[in-house]
C-alpha cells in the first residue's frame, strides 16, 4: 500500500511543479510599467484632438463670417446701384420739369398757361414724383449706412477669427511636434522590449468613457485600412492573416468586445501583441503594438484601451495588425472584416 500512497502524493506534487515552471509572458520587474511616455502620448493625442476640433470650429466660423461680409458687400453694391438709378431718375424729372416750364418761375407758368388746371395737375404729379424719389433716396441712404455698419462688423469679426485661427494652428503645430517626439521615445522603448523578449508591464492609462450601448467596436477609432485579409506580399510567408489599420504610433487600441486577456507577448514577428478571448469561442489579436495597458488574465469591456499602436516586430510602418481567430494561436484566423460586420461594426 505504501508505494501506492507515494504515487498518490507524487501526482499533485508534480502538477504543482509544472504550474510553477509553466512559461509565463516575460515582464519587466515591478507590478506595472511606469506610464511615463505612454501616458504622455495618450494625453497629447487628446490635446491634439481638442486643438484640431477648435481649429476646425474656428475655421468654419471664419468662413461663415467671410460669407456674411461678402453678402453685405453684395447688398451694399446693389443699394448703391439702386440709389444711383434713383438719382438719375430725379435728375430726369427735374430736367423735364424745367423744359416744360421753359425756365419760367412757377407763378409765371400759371399766369401764361393756356389751361391753368392742366398745369396744376402736371405740377402736382411732378411734386409727388419728387417726393417719392426723395423718400426712396433717403431710405436707400439709410439702408446703405446700415449695410456699411454690418459689413464693417463682419469684416472685424472675420479678422479676429483669422487671428484666433492662426493661434490655434500654432498651438496644434506645437502639440504635433511634442507628439512626434513622444512617439519616437515610445517606439524606442517598444523596440528594446521586443529585442529583449520581455514586456515592460502594463501601463495604466486614463480610460475614456465607455459606451455601454455598444457591445462591439472597431479596434481603433480613426484609421485607414491598409493590407487586408488574404492579401499577398513579400512581408508574409503565405497570405496576410488579418486586417491592418494604418494609424500613427501611440494610437489607443481598443478591445473590440468584452473578454479576457489570454496572451501578452513581446517578441517574434508580431512584436508586442495581445490576444483576447471572447464569448462564443472567438479570439482577437492586436499586434505590432508600442505598449500594452492590460495584464494577462485581466477581463476587459468593449472599448477599453488595451494598448497603443506601434511598429514593433516584422512591420514596415506604424499600424495595428488585427486578427480574429477560432483558437488563440496563429493559423486559425478568419477574415475579420465580415466578422466585425456581423457584430454591427463596419470598417
Amino acid at each position: 500500500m505504501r508505494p501506492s500512497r507515494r504515487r498518490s502524493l507524487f501526482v499533485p506534487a508534480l502538477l504543482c511543479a509544472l504550474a510553477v515552471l509553466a512559461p509565463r509572458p516575460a515582464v519587466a520587474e515591478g507590478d506595472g510599467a511606469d506610464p511615463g511616455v505612454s501616458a504622455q502620448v495618450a494625453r497629447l493625442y487628446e490635446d491634439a484632438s481638442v486643438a484640431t476640433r477648435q481649429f476646425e470650429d474656428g475655421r468654419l466660423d471664419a468662413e461663415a463670417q467671410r460669407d456674411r461680409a461678402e453678402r453685405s458687400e453684395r447688398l451694399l453694391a446693389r443699394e448703391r446701384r439702386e440709389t444711383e438709378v434713383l438719382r438719375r431718375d430725379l435728375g430726369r424729372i427735374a430736367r423735364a420739369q424745367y423744359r416744360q416750364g421753359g425756365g419760367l418761375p412757377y407763378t409765371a407758368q400759371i399766369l401764361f398757361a393756356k389751361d391753368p388746371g392742366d398745369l396744376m395737375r402736371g405740377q402736382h404729379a411732378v411734386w409727388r414724383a419728387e417726393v417719392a424719389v426723395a423718400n426712396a433716396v433717403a431710405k436707400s441712404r439709410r439702408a446703405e449706412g446700415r449695410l456699411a455698419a454690418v459689413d464693417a462688423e463682419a469684416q472685424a469679426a472675420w479678422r479676429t477669427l483669422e487671428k484666433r485661427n492662426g493661434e490655434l494652428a500654432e498651438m496644434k503645430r506645437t502639440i504635433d511636434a511634442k507628439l512626434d517626439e513622444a512617439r519616437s521615445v515610445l517606439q524606442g522603448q517598444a523596440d528594446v522590449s521586443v529585442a529583449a523578449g520581455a514586456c515592460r508591464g502594463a501601463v495604466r492609462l486614463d480610460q475614456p468613457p465607455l459606451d455601454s450601448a455598444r457591445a462591439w467596436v472597431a479596434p481603433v477609432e480613426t484609421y485607414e485600412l491598409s493590407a487586408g485579409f488574404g492579401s499577398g506580399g513579400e512581408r508574409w510567408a503565405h497570405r496576410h492573416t488579418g486586417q491592418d489599420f494604418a494609424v500613427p504610433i501611440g494610437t489607443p487600441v481598443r478591445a473590440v468586445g468584452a473578454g479576457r486577456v489570454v496572451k501578452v507577448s513581446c517578441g517574434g514577428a508580431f512584436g508586442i501583441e495581445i490576444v483576447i478571448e471572447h464569448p462564443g469561442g472567438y479570439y482577437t489579436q492586436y499586434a505590432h503594438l508600442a505598449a500594452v495597458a492590460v495584464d494577462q488574465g485581466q477581463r476587459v469591456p468593449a472599448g477599453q484601451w488595451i494598448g497603443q499602436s506601434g511598429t514593433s516586430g516584422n512591420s514596415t510602418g506604424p499600424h495595428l495588425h488585427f486578427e480574429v481567430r477560432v483558437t488563440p494561436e496563429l493559423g486559425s484566423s478568419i477574415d475579420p472584416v465580415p466578422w466585425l460586420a456581423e457584430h454591427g461594426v463596419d470598417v
Side-chain angles (χ1 to χ4, degrees):
M1 293 298 292
R2 286 182 179 178
S4 174
R5 176 177 174 78
R6 281 198 298 271
R7 282 196 298 273
S8 64
L9 293 174
F10 175 74
V11 171
L14 178 60
L15 292 175
C16 290
L18 289 173
V20 171
L21 296 174
R24 298 171 182 264
V27 179
E29 294 182 2
D31 294 334
D34 178 2
V37 70
S38 290
Q40 180 187 6
V41 169
R43 285 194 301 271
L44 285 170
Y45 261 108
E46 181 60 28
D47 291 344
S49 177
V50 171
T52 299
R53 288 196 299 270
Q54 290 177 339
F55 178 77
E56 285 301 307
D57 290 343
R59 183 182 61 81
L60 293 174
D61 287 342
E63 289 181 356
Q65 285 289 0
R66 189 185 298 112
D67 289 342
R68 283 193 285 272
E70 291 175 352
R71 189 163 57 251
S72 296
E73 285 286 352
R74 290 193 296 270
L75 290 172
L76 193 57
R78 189 182 70 187
E79 289 289 339
R80 285 170 177 160
R81 289 194 299 270
E82 291 177 354
T83 300
E84 184 59 31
V85 170
L86 290 171
R87 285 172 178 164
R88 287 198 299 268
D89 288 345
L90 182 58
R92 282 196 297 271
I93 291 171
R95 287 193 297 273
Q97 180 184 355
Y98 181 81
R99 284 195 300 272
Q100 290 169 2
L104 294 173
Y106 182 56
T107 303
Q109 293 178 39
I110 295 175
L111 291 174
F112 294 107
K114 295 180 180 178
D115 187 345
D118 289 342
L119 179 61
M120 290 291 289
R121 285 189 293 273
Q123 290 294 346
H124 185 67
V126 170
W127 174 79
R128 282 187 301 178
E130 288 177 352
V131 170
V133 171
N135 288 339
V137 169
K139 180 180 178 181
S140 178
R141 285 174 177 169
R142 288 194 298 271
E144 184 175 341
R146 287 195 304 271
L147 286 170
V150 171
D151 179 64
E153 182 181 348
Q155 292 284 3
W158 177 72
R159 287 192 294 270
T160 300
L161 283 168
E162 283 289 286
K163 180 181 177 182
R164 175 60 177 158
N165 285 351
E167 294 169 351
L168 287 171
E170 181 60 31
M171 181 174 67
K172 189 174 182 301
R173 282 191 291 270
T174 300
I175 293 172
D176 286 343
K178 291 180 180 178
L179 187 55
D180 284 343
E181 182 180 356
R183 284 171 179 157
S184 178
V185 174
L186 181 64
Q187 185 59 47
Q189 292 178 348
D191 292 339
V192 170
S193 295
V194 171
C199 296
R200 291 187 299 122
V203 297
R204 305 306 174 190
L205 302 176
D206 292 333
Q207 292 291 329
L210 299 179
D211 185 356
S212 59
R214 300 182 64 188
W216 300 91
V217 298
V220 284
E221 188 170 1
T222 304
Y223 54 85
E224 289 185 9
L225 297 179
S226 48
F229 179 81
S231 57
E234 296 178 358
R235 297 187 298 277
W236 311 298
H238 300 289
R239 291 286 180 178
H240 194 230
T241 54
Q243 174 63 57
D244 286 350
F245 294 79
V247 288
I249 293 170
T251 300
V253 174
R254 309 184 293 190
V256 297
R260 183 174 65 91
V261 178
V262 296
K263 183 179 182 182
V264 176
S265 175
C266 298
F270 286 121
I272 299 175
E273 64 169 319
I274 296 169
V275 178
I276 297 177
E277 179 184 13
H278 302 282
Y282 289 98
Y283 299 79
T284 53
Q285 180 216 28
Y286 312 78
H288 303 309
L289 302 176
V292 296
V294 289
D295 295 307
Q296 188 163 310
Q298 180 178 339
R299 292 196 171 275
V300 295
Q304 178 175 327
W305 287 354
I306 59 173
Q308 291 167 291
S309 66
T311 182
S312 60
N314 182 18
S315 171
T316 59
H319 71 283
L320 169 70
H321 175 85
F322 175 74
E323 288 190 17
V324 175
R325 300 171 174 174
V326 295
T327 75
E329 304 304 327
L330 176 66
S332 63
S333 59
I334 61 174
D335 192 340
V337 173
W339 185 85
L340 285 172
E342 289 174 5
H343 291 79
V345 180
D346 292 324
V347 297

